[in-house]
Amino acid sequence: MPTKGKSTPVYREIEGLYLSYYFSDESVRSALAYKPRPDDVFLVGYPKCGTTWMQYLLWNIFSGGVPPRDKEEFMAKSPFLEFVGAQAAEQMPRPGVIKTHLPFDKQPYSKEAKYLYVTRNPYDCCVSYYHHMKIMPAYFFEDGTFDQFFELFVEGTGECGDFFDTLLSWYAHRNDPNVFFLTYEDLKKDTASWVLKMADFLGKEYGERLRSDPKVLERILEASSVSNMKKAFRGEWKSEVAREPPALNDSHGSLQLSEELLEAAIKKPLTGDFVRKGVVGDWRNYFSPEQIERMKQRIATKTAGSDVMQLWKEFDLP
């Protein structure tokens, strides 16, 4: 039996993507092969950059501020493509939104489809991703430390690859007519204004509805508040895909897995809230001076020649 406590979370490579065992090989491969429809709306972002919040906002824009009845309805109309596979997107009731964590070169793409990309400053993303992995049993990282996770993040060797590679791949397309690019921080600062902009991007009728009836906008903002989202996403979370554990070859992480251990972990509920704090600046409670310097060096190296970090010029990053 493997011992508890690890230096790195457990994940493996599928088609050039580094993903946990919550994602089945079949679902990931079908997701990458998905052919977008002209009326598809995709929500994209590196993990822990606000994609779940955006999912919920977009759901409520489409529904006129009527929240989903339950998690099943929410996932049916806003499927996570790599997690549930292409069939879920093909069968999705429209209008709806398809979520991915893919870099641009892996993203199913069509000039006719629409793409919303949300990003977050790398410091807060790192902290949020650390907490995410600690509460998800199949990462086997419940005893992991922030220092251990930081090493993966700053080297770009963790799940979903390098934060900066994904960000820069989409930043290059931020001005494309079918791409709506925003930051988590701006969305937090003025949620109402950004919801109106998103509604306009989705279709003229959605923006007009919110402007003609301010109560609809109020319902959307209330439904998508941190406190209400905590309630909506609280409770037992299980994989809808990996009922049988995928092949265990080439796992990253020091823990030796058995199929029995993996299957049991996948079926376990979260050990904490999926929606945690929803704040800007929590990184200050975690980063040591040395880690700040290493992150600054990583940023300088990865973003050389790009003005991408100007996205956060107003948010007092190191």
Side-chain angles (χ1 to χ4, degrees), residues 3-231:
T3 58
K4 296 293 183 182
K6 297 176 58 275
S7 60
T8 58
V10 171
Y11 57 95
R12 89 288 195 196
E13 182 178 358
I14 313 172
E15 302 296 330
L17 299 171
Y18 294 99
L19 296 168
S20 75
Y21 284 99
Y22 287 109
F23 299 84
S24 75
D25 295 36
E26 179 183 3
S27 292
V28 173
R29 292 192 174 105
S30 74
L32 296 175
Y34 176 70
K35 302 300 182 186
R37 291 173 30 163
D39 61 346
D40 275 344
V41 175
F42 289 90
L43 167 62
V44 190
Y46 191 82
K48 310 315 295 179
C49 285
T51 48
T52 301
W53 186 24
M54 283 281 290
Q55 256 183 301
Y56 215 65
L57 285 168
L58 293 169
W59 166 285
N60 281 282
I61 291 172
F62 281 135
S63 71
V66 180
R69 292 187 302 270
D70 50 39
K71 194 174 297 183
E72 287 69 32
E73 184 184 33
F74 177 68
M75 293 301 293
K77 205 168 181 178
S78 59
F80 181 4
L81 190 60
E82 304 97 282
F83 184 64
V84 295
Q87 186 175 11
E90 291 161 356
Q91 297 177 348
M92 178 184 72
R94 285 161 167 83
V97 60
I98 303 167
K99 169 180 162 180
T100 84
H101 287 320
L102 298 171
F104 188 84
D105 65 305
K106 295 284 189 181
Q107 172 69 42
Y109 183 80
S110 166
K111 289 183 178 180
E112 285 72 43
K114 293 181 178 180
Y115 298 82
L116 297 98
Y117 187 87
V118 62
T119 188
R120 189 180 194 178
N121 80 75
Y123 295 87
D124 278 335
C125 176
C126 179
V127 169
S128 184
Y129 211 169
Y130 159 67
H131 284 284
H132 174 80
M133 287 197 172
K134 281 183 69 69
I135 67 169
M136 304 282 280
Y139 286 112
F140 297 92
F141 195 59
E142 62 269 26
D143 297 324
T145 67
F146 178 72
D147 290 350
Q148 290 166 343
F149 182 78
F150 172 81
E151 294 299 323
L152 292 176
F153 190 92
V154 80
E155 295 296 334
T157 56
E159 188 187 37
C160 289
D162 190 284
F163 167 90
F164 298 100
D165 289 346
T166 299
L167 169 58
L168 289 168
S169 75
W170 281 95
Y171 189 67
H173 295 273
R174 66 193 182 281
N175 295 321
D176 290 2
N178 65 332
V179 174
F180 185 95
F181 192 100
L182 77 161
T183 69
Y184 178 91
E185 291 80 7
D186 282 335
L187 187 59
K188 285 288 293 184
K189 185 178 179 180
D190 190 355
T191 308
S193 292
W194 282 97
V195 166
L196 287 170
K197 293 175 185 177
M198 286 190 285
D200 290 335
F201 177 76
L202 294 173
K204 183 179 179 181
E205 66 273 25
Y206 298 109
E208 288 180 346
R209 177 166 61 179
L210 299 189
R211 290 181 176 86
S212 64
D213 188 352
K215 290 185 178 179
V216 176
L217 178 57
E218 290 176 11
R219 288 201 302 268
I220 292 171
L221 298 177
E222 176 63 21
S224 305
S225 67
V226 172
S227 59
N228 279 333
M229 286 196 62
K230 274 182 172 286
K231 296 174 185 175

